[in-house]
């Protein structure tokens, strides 16, 4: 039933950020889309936290903040894989899922790395019809990534102020 699945990754160096665009198209049966982000945790020092608006992966010397948007809403949860419990604790994850099942889904996720003791950047994703704009700010540096959801392969452009 899957017509196409496309993942596009846009890496920015200033400010440091990653924009991930997941596009799924189905022929007949509506679905939700999930993207999972795992914490490195073999030393038991990794943690995942979720709120209604974002998720955070925390390590002793790094933090990763994630926010997402889709035309059918986004739901953030955390969990462990369905493997033996002693092993599952090594692989905590944040699950970013679309809120409603549809036949055509575009999920835009922004990842912001940071030091746990330093300043953290910020991001927000605005949706306007078939386009999404991720506004990313860290210190005095800002960038916007515009994603145009037009067909099987979304297009994007990086905009500077």
């Amino acid at each position: 039933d899957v017509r196409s699945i496309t993942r596009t990754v846009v890496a920015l160096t200033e400010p440091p950020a990653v924009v991930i665009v997941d596009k799924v198209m189905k022929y007949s049966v509506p679905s939700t889309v999930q993207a999972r982000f795992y914490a490195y945790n073999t030393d038991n020092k990794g943690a995942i936290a979720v709120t209604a608006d974002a998720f955070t992966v925390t390590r002793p010397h790094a933090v990763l903040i994630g926010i997402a948007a889709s035309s059918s809403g986004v739901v953030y949860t955390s969990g462990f894989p369905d493997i033996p419990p002693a092993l599952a604790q090594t692989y905590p994850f944040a699950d970013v899922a679309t809120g409603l099942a549809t036949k055509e889904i575009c999920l835009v996720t922004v990842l912001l790395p940071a030091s746990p003791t330093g300043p953290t950047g910020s991001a927000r994703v605005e949706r306007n019809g078939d386009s999404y704009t991720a506004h990313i700010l860290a210190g005095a540096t800002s960038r916007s990534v515009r994603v145009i959801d037009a067909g099987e392969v979304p297009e994007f452009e990086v905009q500077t102020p």
Side-chain angles (χ1 to χ4, degrees):
D1 186 48
V2 175
R3 184 171 141 198
S4 79
I5 299 174
T6 305
R7 172 169 270 187
T8 303
V9 178
V10 181
L12 303 175
T13 57
E14 287 298 325
V18 175
V19 178
I20 301 170
V21 182
D22 291 307
K23 176 68 184 242
V24 176
M25 297 176 83
K26 306 270 308 265
Y27 285 110
S28 58
V29 179
S31 297
T32 59
V33 169
Q34 295 173 285
R36 287 188 174 171
F37 299 90
Y38 288 84
Y40 175 79
N41 196 37
T42 57
D43 58 1
N44 292 318
K45 295 181 181 178
I48 300 280
V50 297
T51 66
D53 302 315
F55 72 89
T56 305
V57 178
T58 304
R59 293 281 307 147
H61 302 289
V63 174
L64 182 71
I65 299 166
I67 65 155
S70 85
S71 60
S72 62
V74 176
V75 176
Y76 302 92
T77 57
S78 61
F80 298 94
D82 189 19
I83 57 177
L87 188 56
Q89 297 298 317
T90 306
Y91 304 103
F93 61 81
D95 187 270
V96 179
T98 55
L100 301 171
T102 62
K103 291 192 290 185
E104 187 170 332
I105 303 163
C106 185
L107 175 65
V108 178
T109 307
V110 179
L111 304 175
L112 299 170
S115 165
T117 58
T120 302
S122 64
R124 71 184 197 294
V125 181
E126 296 175 347
R127 183 174 161 261
N128 184 5
D130 287 340
S131 73
Y132 299 81
T133 303
H135 301 279
I136 302 158
L137 175 66
T141 307
S142 67
R143 295 286 182 274
S144 293
V145 177
R146 183 169 175 248
V147 176
I148 301 98
D149 181 16
E152 289 184 16
V153 180
E155 299 176 19
F156 71 90
E157 61 186 16
V158 177
Q159 303 165 337
T160 57

